[in-house]
Amino acid sequence: MTLSAESLPTARSPRTALILGAGLFAFGLLAILYRPLTVMETLSACLTLVVLVAVAAYDSATLRAPNSIVYPGAVIIPLTWAATGLSAVIGSFIGGVLALLVTSVLVIIGRGSMGFGDAKFAFLAGAAVGIGGLVIMFGAAFVVGGMLAAAVLVTDLRKRDDSIAFTPFLVGGVIVAWMFIR
């Protein structure tokens, strides 16, 4: 069997979304268990992970970040850190706002290469890592996302005009950042 664009599952395949979601969730659980956390920090991280993976899996299947999860998540994620202290809530909220601002600028200057759904989701991702994890999160997301995009373009598996969901890469960036900051 030869590998071609027709033989690959599409970005909008429910099977692909399920596999991606399961993989991100497993990777996220490993990252949570990697660092010694309190019980409350572990519960907060797990709830945050569920919200992030749900949006990323849905986005990978539909190329849409559902507002029905993103908007409640924008309140839930910073508040989950309330049990770990007020400074964690403030850091989470500021991290979310900064991530939203950075991606909003990228949406505007990118002229369609990234959507506002990615910017809304970036608030959730930034809130998950706080101020201290933004550089690691964005670095990991853009490096891995860029490498994957280059690989599929070079191998002609996808065309330059094809869309790739960015939210899974942001979730991966969150998970990598968790390994270093929390």
Side-chain angles (χ1 to χ4, degrees), residues 83-140:
T84 63
L86 182 61
S87 64
V89 175
I90 293 169
S92 175
F93 183 75
I94 293 172
V97 169
L98 290 174
L100 175 66
L101 291 174
V102 167
T103 52
S104 293
V105 168
L106 293 174
V107 167
I108 292 167
I109 64 173
R111 291 179 257 142
S113 60
M114 184 184 282
F116 275 107
D118 294 320
K120 291 184 297 186
F121 183 78
F123 177 87
L124 302 181
V129 298
I131 301 168
L134 287 179
V135 172
I136 297 169
M137 177 194 77
F138 279 130

Side-chain angles (χ1 to χ4, degrees), residues 32 36-48 77 79-85 182:
I32 291 168
L37 300 172
T38 67
V39 172
M40 290 310 297
E41 289 170 334
T42 301
L43 292 175
S44 297
C46 286
L47 179 60
T48 298
I77 290 174
L79 289 181
T80 61
W81 298 103
T84 63
R182 292 198 185 205

Side-chain angles (χ1 to χ4, degrees), residues 8 23 46 70 72 159:
L8 292 174
C46 286
V70 172
K159 297 192 178 4

Side-chain angles (χ1 to χ4, degrees), residues 124-182:
L124 302 181
V129 298
I131 301 168
L134 287 179
V135 172
I136 297 169
M137 177 194 77
F138 279 130
F142 282 110
V143 166
V144 174
M147 289 181 352
L148 176 74
V152 297
L153 287 174
V154 167
T155 58
D156 287 330
L157 294 176
R158 298 282 190 259
K159 297 192 178 4
R160 190 168 170 81
D161 295 341
D162 290 345
S163 296
I164 297 174
F166 187 61
T167 55
F169 297 106
L170 284 172
V171 174
V174 166
I175 294 167
V176 169
W178 278 352
M179 289 185 200
F180 295 101
I181 61 161
R182 292 198 185 205

Side-chain angles (χ1 to χ4, degrees), residues 20-31 49 53 175:
L20 174 76
L24 283 173
F25 190 75
F27 183 42
L29 284 179
L30 288 174
L49 182 65
V53 168
I175 294 167

